[in-house]
Amino acid sequence: MPQLNPVDAERLAFAESWIAQDPDPETRAELAALVEDARAGDPAASADLADRFDTRLAFGTAGLRGEIAAGPNRMNRVLVSQAAAGLAGYLLEHAHPGTTPSVVIGYDGRKNSAVFARDSAAIMAGAGVRAVLLPQMLPTPVLAFAVRHLGTSAGVMVTASHNPPNDNGYKVYLGGGDHGSQIVAPADAEIAAHILRVAESTTVPELPRGDFETAPESVIDEYVRQTALVADTPAAQPRAVYTAMHGVGWETAARVLAVAGFDAPAVVDDQISPDPAFPTVAFPNPEEPGAMDLSFARARTAHAELVIANDPDADRLAIAIPDAASAEGYRRLTGNEVGLLLGWRAARRAAAAPGDAGLHGTLACSIVSSPGLEAVARAYGLDFQATLTGFKWISRATDLVFGFEEALGYLVNPETVRDKDGISAAVAFLSLAAELKAAGKTVADHLDEFIERFGCYASAQISLRVTDLSRIGEIMARLRAEPPAAVDGIRVERIEDLADGFGALPPSDVLRIVLEGGGRIMVRPSGTEPKLKVYIDAVGTEGSIAERRAAASDAVARIEAGMRELIG
């Protein structure tokens, strides 16, 4: 047996103590084998242990998210148990004297989601929190709804949304004055501190467990009823295809569409039921290349006028429409295109709302989403707010009417759900398509109408996936130290660094590059994946629809080429 240095010996002792408290036989066995290999001098095993045990998955405003495996830098029953106990401690600390805090917990169809949810419910109940578990695997928006509907102090959703198959995560919402929105600072740091105290002082078997409640099916019924109200009574029935991307969206979405008066869409059979292996897609994310290929094939046989895709936890929505120029016969709309059409719909509905108080309300989007929403708000006399990325910020916009972000997230019914909701957004978009069809128009026609009225807002995105996270920091540091004077010959008017906050925006690791002619570039690290993201926008407002589209797309292409050269 090789001689171990003190650091390796301490790490191995930590790993063995982890095994001793891990209730999951699969991760226990996996870690035991890794420890044995490391003790035998296997350098790969030692490096793997270092990656797992030299740091923890950080708990932040996005909660927790990571690969399912043993160790504090992975998602597993030990880490989730510590998170549940820490969240319970936070809720008890912040409860009004003499009251019992409460939490509602939901889960999707990913590996270990149900186990993580039940562990959380039992541990939080054991800590003295009233814990309510949703009655079955459900979409994330149903959990976000349940926080408000049940009036709980907090909510937890066990999901990794559209991450790779072996990932899972832990999203936290707060009730009360937070109105069911996801956590923001300083709550994230306070919860993280509680979690760390639990991890340093208590083993998982020592955590008391208690009895938790199961929410009644009426919670789901009420979500269905209120979400169906997003649609107008359909004046026509667009032929639609739906895919759940192997997730949990279909059962709830089907009920909502039926109550709203829509015919049942054709479905992508191979993707309609929950399957944690996600066998037909490389990444279960409608944005990824190839993810919607089966949807397009089904749409061709159904002669569909609309393709509707939810991601696995159904908080995101992708839309595709017929396009003769595409080899597949269909084109997925960008998140910005869907967001601008839904924002325009929301503005028209606000203008048509009864009452004599005058038009009011706010259209909101993230700073990396299309600036076209501000043009819509301005045209209708509504307020506009640009927020940091994430619905934890968008949902907090004052007097919110509608919010969106370009990553296929839309909030169309803020009085019901204070988070992105791919089901309510699907109902809203299908309602728009029905209205257009009744008028003899298509979604493509409506996109042209938008360009004619507001201008053509084109966008593109560079998503640089890395294996070494330090590379992202190096690129951001270089752009700050050596800011470009031009991008592909287009002059840079100014660069706004949001690191210390900017205007009403809190500090964030974002650079905003404003170009001559109305172009804009946003550069930021992803909050949930090992990626650097670059968001590019340009606008064409002069000439015909075709000329506006050409001007905007040409500008975007030039900016994208220039930025690819800059970031390497």
Side-chain angles (χ1 to χ4, degrees):
M1 191 72 67
Q3 185 71 31
L4 296 173
N5 65 50
V7 172
D8 287 342
E10 184 178 358
R11 187 182 297 122
L12 283 166
F14 186 9
E16 287 169 338
S17 70
W18 189 277
I19 293 169
Q21 65 171 320
D22 189 351
D24 187 333
E26 181 179 332
T27 47
R28 259 199 330 267
E30 167 211 347
L31 186 54
L34 195 59
V35 166
E36 183 178 349
D37 289 345
R39 282 200 181 281
D42 182 344
S46 295
D48 194 355
L49 278 180
D51 184 51
R52 293 169 186 241
F53 282 89
D54 287 2
T55 188
R56 290 179 64 88
L57 277 185
F59 184 94
T61 55
L64 293 166
R65 193 175 292 188
E67 181 186 356
I68 298 172
N73 198 31
R74 302 289 190 271
M75 283 295 296
N76 49 69
R77 291 182 69 184
V78 175
L79 192 82
V80 165
S81 297
Q82 293 168 347
L87 177 57
Y90 169 86
L91 295 177
L92 291 163
E93 180 180 77
H94 286 265
H96 293 297
T99 65
T100 300
S102 55
V103 63
V104 58
I105 300 168
Y107 58 97
D108 67 4
R110 281 182 176 265
K111 179 181 179 181
N112 284 2
S113 285
V115 174
F116 291 164
R118 291 191 182 98
D119 279 347
S120 297
I123 287 169
M124 295 185 79
V129 175
R130 179 187 166 225
V132 183
L133 186 69
L134 290 183
Q136 62 193 58
M137 63 176 74
L138 285 162
T140 292
V142 178
L143 180 279
F145 167 80
V147 175
R148 301 181 73 181
H149 180 66
L150 297 176
T152 58
S153 311
V156 170
M157 183 67 194
V158 182
T159 179
S161 192
H162 58 281
N163 272 38
N166 204 44
D167 284 8
N168 216 323
Y170 205 78
K171 293 174 68 172
V172 177
Y173 301 77
L174 291 177
D178 289 87
H179 307 293
S181 292
Q182 290 183 56
I183 56 169
V184 294
D188 59 333
E190 293 177 19
I191 296 169
H194 276 278
I195 293 170
L196 193 58
R197 279 196 290 272
V198 171
E200 291 174 343
S201 64
T202 312
T203 65
V204 170
E206 292 172 330
L207 293 171
R209 291 175 172 251
D211 294 330
F212 55 85
E213 304 170 30
T214 300
E217 293 283 340
S218 61
V219 174
I220 308 170
D221 297 340
E222 189 59 19
Y223 171 84
V224 168
R225 186 190 71 81
Q226 293 196 34
T227 304
L229 296 175
V230 167
D232 298 316
T233 301
Q237 292 287 349
R239 293 187 304 277
V241 160
Y242 176 89
T243 179
M245 205 70 68
H246 298 296
V248 294
W250 171 239
E251 184 177 341
T252 305
R255 290 183 59 189
V256 171
L257 294 176
V259 172
F262 292 102
D263 291 346
V267 300
V268 181
D269 291 319
D270 289 346
Q271 296 179 335
I272 206 64
S273 299
D275 186 338
F278 303 103
T280 68
V281 289
F283 284 94
N285 178 357
E287 288 183 296
E288 292 286 343
M292 293 186 67
D293 286 355
L294 291 181
S295 304
F296 295 156
R298 184 71 182 93
R300 288 192 294 270
T301 62
H303 305 290
E305 298 157 313
L306 199 65
V307 178
I308 299 168
N310 283 141
D311 70 337
D313 69 327
D315 65 348
R316 285 172 169 82
L317 167 72
I319 293 289
I321 61 173
D323 184 352
S326 167
E328 295 87 358
Y330 288 83
R331 173 176 80 88
R332 181 182 67 78
L333 302 185
T334 68
N336 281 326
E337 286 175 314
V338 174
L340 293 179
L341 292 189
L342 287 178
W344 188 14
R345 176 181 184 267
R348 291 198 309 273
R349 287 166 71 87
D356 54 8
L359 187 63
H360 67 92
T362 299
L363 303 183
C365 66
S366 64
I367 55 175
V368 299
S369 300
S370 175
L373 190 66
E374 184 173 9
V376 175
R378 190 166 55 243
Y380 282 84
L382 294 167
D383 293 328
F384 171 76
Q385 186 172 338
T387 75
L388 292 184
T389 303
F391 278 81
K392 55 184 173 283
W393 300 111
I394 295 168
S395 66
R396 285 177 161 82
T398 304
D399 202 14
L400 184 64
V401 171
F402 168 80
F404 92 97
E405 64 181 10
E406 50 68 45
L408 310 186
Y410 316 97
L411 198 169
V412 303
N413 53 344
E415 296 310 309
T416 304
V417 174
R418 286 281 169 147
D419 195 14
K420 59 183 174 290
D421 181 348
I423 296 175
S424 62
V427 175
F429 204 95
L430 193 55
S431 184
L432 171 62
E435 175 189 333
L436 293 169
K437 184 173 184 177
K441 300 176 184 177
T442 66
V443 172
D445 295 333
H446 201 49
L447 287 166
D448 284 347
E449 291 171 343
F450 186 97
I451 292 170
E452 190 170 36
R453 174 152 186 188
F454 303 104
C456 180
Y457 289 83
S459 60
Q461 185 183 133
I462 302 170
S463 189
L464 179 65
R465 185 179 287 272
V466 300
T467 52
D468 181 0
L469 284 174
S470 66
R471 188 180 171 200
I472 292 176
E474 290 167 0
I475 294 171
M476 294 297 292
R478 177 162 48 82
L479 288 174
R480 287 184 165 105
E482 304 168 14
V487 177
D488 196 51
I490 304 174
R491 187 174 68 85
V492 173
E493 289 189 345
R494 64 184 185 277
I495 299 179
E496 298 163 349
D497 191 342
L498 277 60
D500 296 319
F502 191 87
L505 296 171
S508 184
D509 189 9
V510 177
L511 288 173
R512 176 162 49 197
I513 304 171
V514 180
L515 303 174
E516 188 175 50
R520 187 191 72 179
I521 305 162
M522 309 291 294
V523 188
R524 73 171 184 94
S526 169
T528 56
E529 297 177 272
K531 291 180 178 179
L532 178 74
K533 293 197 166 187
V534 180
Y535 305 82
I536 298 162
D537 292 282
V539 60
T541 57
E542 301 296 329
S544 66
I545 291 172
E547 289 168 335
R548 294 179 182 198
R549 186 176 277 122
S553 62
D554 289 350
V556 161
R558 286 185 62 190
I559 297 167
E560 181 177 355
M563 284 306 297
R564 287 190 183 277
E565 190 173 321
L566 272 174
I567 66 174

